[in-house]
Amino acid sequence: MPLSALEFIPLTEDLELLPFKCKDDDLNDFFFNDAKLYLKELMAVTYLFIDPNKQKTAAYFSLLNDKVSYDPEEPSFWNRLNRKITNRKRRRNYPSVKIGRLAVSQDYTGQGIGREILNFIKHAFTNGNRTGCRFITVDAYADATEFYQKNGFDFFTRKDERDDTRLMYFDLKPFKEAQEKEKKSSTNKL
């Protein structure tokens, strides 16, 4: 089922949550018990994809502000990252958006919805974005790191290799440049 077949709804404090269950209890708990509190406290905003025919939540994701900061213990990573930034604009911190949670209901797994959500987020922060945002970050559960890698994310460090979550990032600038190149190529074909 493509995302376009689902209804996109930003979570509000008074919205009645429809049934949702994914394989991860922590993600289920966040959805039902924490998402509205995070919204109320201005800590994160959650967005839902609803299946209007089944009256179920097919997927959700939460976003919050973040930053990519210099880590003196990881100079090689920082050098690699800084090479992508124009010299005059290099700094110790770069603006980013963090995917706090991303979950797809068990009833909708294996249909490419997670990948489509990542592309939706990438597009949202490279087209008409209201703030500067160079990177997308995520503290990926160990069993989800492969999914994020397949979608262009990379690891910040090797220090967290044995942890339950791994800090990962996606650089939005090459994504935006690829979009512009594709758009220009399509225009030239007309």
Side-chain angles (χ1 to χ4, degrees):
M1 170 175 286
L3 273 187
S4 59
L6 301 171
E7 190 175 338
F8 177 69
I9 301 173
L11 180 70
T12 60
E13 290 182 50
D14 59 342
L15 183 71
E16 183 180 331
L17 296 176
L18 295 175
F20 176 83
K21 181 160 177 50
C22 71
K23 68 177 184 171
D24 188 292
D25 290 335
D26 181 52
L27 293 171
N28 294 325
D29 182 64
F30 177 84
F31 180 71
F32 288 107
N33 299 311
D34 293 328
K36 287 184 179 181
L37 181 59
Y38 273 70
L39 177 67
K40 182 179 180 178
E41 294 298 324
L42 305 176
M43 300 287 289
V45 178
T46 300
Y47 300 92
L48 316 176
F49 286 98
I50 303 295
D51 185 335
N53 298 323
K54 296 182 180 178
Q55 286 298 294
K56 288 183 174 181
T57 303
Y60 79 88
F61 65 94
S62 295
L63 299 176
L64 57 144
N65 292 325
D66 197 13
K67 67 179 176 179
V68 173
S69 297
Y70 173 72
D71 181 352
E73 294 180 25
E74 296 286 339
S76 63
F77 164 76
W78 197 254
N79 289 337
R80 197 170 64 245
L81 187 84
N82 262 337
R83 276 188 229 117
K84 300 174 185 181
I85 311 280
T86 306
N87 277 344
R88 301 187 339 230
K89 300 300 178 190
R90 290 182 183 168
R91 47 187 0 124
R92 293 265 195 212
N93 299 295
Y94 296 110
S96 65
V97 63
K98 182 176 223 105
I99 300 171
R101 301 287 194 283
L102 188 158
V104 177
S105 170
Q106 290 174 338
D107 298 338
Y108 299 86
T109 58
Q111 299 179 38
I113 291 174
R115 177 181 33 81
E116 284 191 65
I117 289 173
L118 287 180
N119 287 334
F120 178 88
I121 295 167
K122 292 170 185 177
H123 183 79
F125 283 91
T126 55
N127 294 277
N129 184 22
R130 294 183 177 179
T131 65
C133 181
R134 175 66 188 249
F135 299 99
I136 299 173
T137 62
V138 64
D139 291 319
Y141 290 120
D143 63 349
T145 57
E146 186 177 329
F147 163 74
Y148 284 104
Q149 284 181 297
K150 285 179 182 177
N151 286 282
F153 283 72
D154 200 358
F155 298 105
F156 274 104
T157 181
R158 297 174 81 167
K159 294 187 298 188
D160 59 2
E161 285 180 319
R162 297 191 197 320
D163 294 351
D164 294 337
T165 60
R166 301 278 318 266
L167 185 56
M168 301 181 78
Y169 74 97
F170 180 87
D171 188 348
L172 286 165
K173 187 157 188 225
F175 178 81
K176 181 174 177 71
E177 289 169 346
Q179 283 182 314
E180 290 168 351
K181 186 176 181 179
E182 185 177 309
K183 186 177 179 179
K184 189 175 185 179
S185 174
S186 297
T187 304
N188 289 339
K189 290 179 182 177
L190 299 175

